[in-house]
Amino acid sequence: MRAARLIKMVLLLQSRPAMTGAELARELEVSERTVTRDAQALSEAGVPVYAERGRAGGYRLVGGYRTGLTGLARSEAEALFLSGVPGALREMGLEDAASAARLKVSAALLPSLRDAPKAAAQRFHLDAPAWFREPETPGALAVLAEAVWDDRCVRARYRRGEGEVERELEPYGLVLKAGVWYLCARVGGTVTGTGTFRTYRIDRFVGIEDLKDRFSRDEDFDLPGFWGEQAERFARSILRAEVVVRLSEAGLRALPHAVDPVAARDALATAGEPDARGWVTLTLRVESEQVAHGQLTGLGAEAEVVSPESLRRRFAEEAGRLAELYGRE
């Protein structure tokens, strides 16, 4: 346990110019007194950990000390080679850089772990694009990827409605969702350092210009957190109508697979108690009555629409046509 903690401490100090005792204690989940003892143990073992006192003090490695990768276990080495997404790297123009990095890491591994890249590649593969759609690489992606890595502002023209809009953007991050690329960027922050974060679908860009000017990145920006909030907000924004349905036990289990997951989660959270037959009545938010008809049809006889009356009539008419069609035999 302590050996693993000492290795992690060295790697943390190796990745940053300096860290305070409080920062190390938080990362290592120990007390600052334990950090002091660990730093002393590393120093006695020949690792040049240097402690500076005072307001600007902290712990640092001196003399350009670097540790090798010989401490990697097999599972860690294999997981390392699972972290890349080959298709995405190729589309961003980073395939050569990623290949060189993997080669360097492979060369640094112990001989017993040299087969880790092959072992991982033979067992796992990520196919990001959705089914039944030919993936296309947006022309602006490579330029945006470079700007994201280097914190450089861009001027973008993109389609909005029937026209085009031009904006100066601070590109913070790229997201690949079901084969579609999105840019998370800050607008209006070049001068003030503030601005608004927005999401853009990259295949709607019709022009991109690298302005070469660098922006000051907000270090508190959390790309996964921002994307998660945006995705859920978008999902909720298109659910503009409501239907009341009765569901059997089987219908309740199938609901999250038939409708939008956000809508299903909200509906199930506010559902009433089961009746004597075990059926539950709930209110479901949907994109439209037409969309609701297509989604709830998949539940068959495990769902009954209570309202609106127009949707209920649509199901009744369809049920009549089905009965007539199959009753001919």
Side-chain angles (χ1 to χ4, degrees):
M1 181 70 178
R2 191 190 185 199
R5 190 175 71 240
L6 292 175
I7 293 173
K8 185 175 180 180
M9 184 175 180
V10 173
L11 293 174
L12 284 169
L13 293 174
Q14 192 171 289
S15 64
R16 309 179 193 180
M19 294 183 69
T20 66
E23 290 172 335
L24 282 168
R26 185 167 56 251
E27 291 281 353
L28 299 172
E29 299 180 350
V30 296
S31 67
E32 292 189 45
R33 180 174 296 181
T34 299
V35 168
T36 301
R37 289 198 296 265
D38 286 351
Q40 183 176 354
L42 286 170
S43 181
E44 292 173 355
V47 179
V49 179
Y50 176 68
E52 273 186 341
R53 299 187 180 276
R55 179 176 298 180
Y59 294 88
R60 70 183 75 246
L61 293 174
V62 296
Y65 179 85
R66 308 292 294 178
T67 184
L69 292 174
T70 54
L72 283 176
R74 167 166 290 278
S75 60
E76 294 169 332
E78 291 175 347
L80 176 65
F81 287 93
L82 285 177
S83 61
V85 186
L89 292 170
R90 182 173 57 253
E91 292 179 3
M92 288 189 292
L94 298 174
E95 184 177 28
D96 290 343
S99 177
R102 287 192 294 268
L103 182 61
K104 291 178 181 178
V105 172
S106 297
L109 292 173
L110 290 171
S112 60
L113 301 179
R114 295 282 166 80
D115 65 334
K118 183 179 179 181
Q122 287 176 337
R123 287 164 173 80
F124 299 97
H125 173 67
L126 175 62
D127 185 10
W131 286 103
F132 314 119
R133 182 171 60 196
E134 190 69 26
E136 294 183 3
T137 303
L141 181 59
V143 175
L144 286 172
E146 290 185 9
V148 166
W149 280 115
D150 204 30
D151 296 340
R152 296 199 308 269
C153 300
V154 298
R155 181 180 292 114
R157 285 188 299 111
Y158 61 95
R159 297 188 302 274
R160 190 170 71 180
E162 299 297 325
E164 294 182 2
V165 178
E166 184 173 283
R167 291 281 188 274
E168 287 192 11
L169 307 176
E170 296 175 357
Y172 266 64
L174 296 169
V175 175
L176 178 60
K177 169 72 171 178
V180 180
W181 284 95
Y182 296 86
L183 172 70
C184 298
R186 186 167 63 177
V187 185
T190 305
V191 177
T192 63
T194 55
T196 304
F197 287 100
R198 297 180 182 175
T199 303
Y200 299 88
R201 183 162 164 159
I202 297 178
D203 59 9
R204 292 178 182 166
F205 283 16
V206 295
I208 192 78
E209 177 186 356
D210 189 340
L211 299 179
K212 306 300 182 183
D213 298 325
R214 303 192 67 182
F215 62 88
S216 297
R217 175 177 285 266
D218 182 354
E219 297 300 331
D220 293 329
F221 178 75
D222 174 19
L223 180 60
F226 173 77
W227 174 258
E229 292 174 2
Q230 291 288 102
E232 183 156 337
R233 187 179 297 118
F234 172 75
R236 293 183 189 280
S237 70
I238 63 175
L239 303 175
R240 302 185 180 93
E242 289 185 348
V243 300
V244 178
V245 295
R246 293 178 66 246
L247 297 171
S248 67
E249 293 183 13
L252 285 172
R253 291 194 298 270
L255 185 67
H257 306 288
V259 303
D260 182 90
V262 172
R265 186 169 65 244
D266 291 347
L268 292 172
T270 58
E273 293 297 321
D275 61 15
R277 295 175 54 201
W279 285 58
V280 172
T281 300
L282 50 79
T283 300
L284 180 69
R285 297 179 64 198
V286 295
E287 186 174 345
S288 66
E289 186 173 308
Q290 181 177 357
V291 171
H293 176 264
Q295 293 174 333
L296 295 176
T297 295
L299 297 179
E302 307 302 327
E304 177 192 359
V305 174
V306 178
S307 67
E309 184 61 30
S310 56
L311 181 58
R312 182 178 174 86
R313 282 198 306 270
R314 182 182 292 196
F315 272 100
E317 292 169 0
E318 183 171 301
R321 291 196 302 270
L322 286 172
E324 181 183 354
L325 179 65
Y326 288 98
R328 292 172 183 171
E329 299 177 2

